[in-house]
Amino acid sequence: MNQASPAPRLRLSFTWLGLMPFVIFVMLFMVLPTMHIVIGAFQTRDGAFTLQNIIDLNSGTIPSSYWISVKISVASAALGCLIGFGMAAAVVFGAVPRWIRSPLMTFSGVASNFAGVPLAFAFLATFGPVGLVTVFLRNNFGLVLQRDLGFNILSFWGLTVTYLFFQIPLMILIITPALEGLRREWREAAQVLGATTLQYWRMVAMPILFPSLLGTFALLFANAFGAVATAIALTGSSLNIVPIQLYAQIRGDVLGNPHLGYAMAFGMIVVTAIANVVYIWLRIRAERWLK
């Protein structure tokens, strides 16, 4: 009689051990804190379940802080997409020397992750009340940024310009592969059919790139909406945005309500999650054309 062969043993490959530091890091600093925030948003100070924290998001200055944060995110994402697309197109299609490409991509990789207190300090040292550019323009041209141009680094547009430092490089990194995916045959076919350069971009290239552009806009929106350290370090309490309100609730003061802060953080998670889902969905659609 033939004996039944023994069941195969499950072997755990040691190569998976290399992923353990990453898994532990993600669990400790992303998954568990997020779960704590979500649970805390639906709890009272005594730990009982409540929806009052979510209801309170529609009270006081919280709705206006969300609206201002949305406007800053939209403005920085739109400008980041526009400027970044122009720079990436100039490099990909040869409008600038080819040797600029490598330094630009390297700088974009670094600058897209440069945020927080160092970025806030850099812009304060440059465009602040006694910043390098501010003092230079005042002493040499008699031009005062806030008085003559209405520019204040601690204002809506000041924070938007600061965000552009990492929004533009992120746009360059994401849109460059999409621009490189435009096949030369498509342009040649359009030219054979008598299309001008403008018609090619309007009727061929832009429809193909549109999902990538819209998806990148959603990603840049989420990137700006979730930026906390830069906003707090740069504006302090001078600008009523969600990160500032959130910090005021959870920093431990007597008048603060940590669970309301959890609810505000939960709202930010929902907004950024929606933006990231839109980005992933549009990215998948765009890759169908670029394969």
Side-chain angles (χ1 to χ4, degrees):
M1 295 178 62
N2 294 330
Q3 295 180 352
S5 59
R9 295 180 180 179
L10 294 177
R11 294 183 180 180
L12 180 62
S13 175
F14 285 102
T15 56
W16 287 98
L17 293 178
L19 292 177
M20 291 307 297
F22 173 75
V23 173
I24 294 173
F25 181 85
V26 171
M27 290 295 297
L28 289 178
F29 296 100
M30 293 187 66
V31 177
L32 294 180
T34 301
M35 292 177 60
H36 180 70
I37 289 173
V38 174
I39 294 173
F42 296 93
Q43 287 181 333
T44 63
R45 293 178 182 268
D46 300 329
F49 176 81
T50 182
L51 293 175
Q52 189 60 43
N53 297 321
I54 305 300
I55 297 173
D56 288 342
L57 292 180
N58 196 34
S59 63
T61 59
I62 295 178
S64 63
S65 67
Y66 270 96
W67 178 236
I68 294 175
S69 295
V70 168
K71 290 194 295 183
I72 292 176
S73 301
V74 170
S76 65
L79 291 174
C81 285
L82 181 63
I83 299 173
F85 180 83
M87 295 176 65
V91 171
V92 171
F93 298 116
V96 296
R98 298 293 298 177
W99 60 267
I100 294 180
R101 175 188 173 87
S102 181
L104 177 64
M105 299 304 292
T106 302
F107 172 78
S108 298
V110 175
S112 62
N113 293 286
F114 184 71
V117 177
L119 179 61
F121 173 78
F123 271 80
L124 282 173
T126 305
F127 295 103
V130 292
L132 178 65
V133 173
T134 304
V135 174
F136 176 79
L137 293 177
R138 183 175 64 239
N139 293 341
N140 292 276
F141 301 99
L143 181 65
V144 180
L145 291 179
Q146 186 170 0
R147 182 194 65 194
D148 300 328
L149 301 179
F151 178 79
N152 182 7
I153 194 64
L154 305 180
S155 65
F156 173 93
W157 285 111
L159 187 58
T160 300
V161 170
T162 305
Y163 281 177
L164 288 179
F165 188 87
F166 55 79
Q167 296 282 65
I168 294 174
L170 183 59
M171 176 64 180
I172 294 174
L173 289 176
I174 296 176
I175 204 63
T176 297
L179 291 173
E180 291 176 338
L182 293 175
R183 300 177 183 176
R184 187 174 14 173
E185 294 85 352
W186 297 340
R187 178 186 288 271
E188 293 175 351
Q191 291 176 346
V192 169
L193 294 174
T196 63
T197 301
L198 181 60
Q199 289 175 328
Y200 163 75
W201 277 99
R202 181 172 60 87
M203 303 178 67
V204 179
M206 290 309 297
I208 295 173
L209 292 173
F210 183 74
S212 295
L213 292 172
L214 193 58
T216 307
F217 175 85
L219 181 63
L220 265 60
F221 173 88
N223 194 38
F225 193 82
V228 177
T230 302
I232 294 176
L234 182 67
T235 64
S237 58
S238 61
L239 192 61
N240 180 35
I241 58 177
V242 177
I244 306 300
Q245 292 265 17
L246 174 61
Y247 176 72
Q249 294 295 335
I250 66 175
R251 62 185 175 183
D253 291 354
V254 177
L255 299 178
N257 182 358
H259 290 280
L260 179 58
Y262 293 152
M264 295 176 65
F266 175 70
M268 295 182 66
I269 292 173
V270 171
V271 173
T272 54
I274 293 173
N276 279 287
V277 168
V278 171
Y279 164 72
I280 294 172
W281 178 67
L282 290 171
R283 180 86 177 185
I284 293 174
R285 288 179 58 88
E287 288 177 351
R288 296 177 184 175
W289 281 95
L290 300 177
K291 287 182 179 180

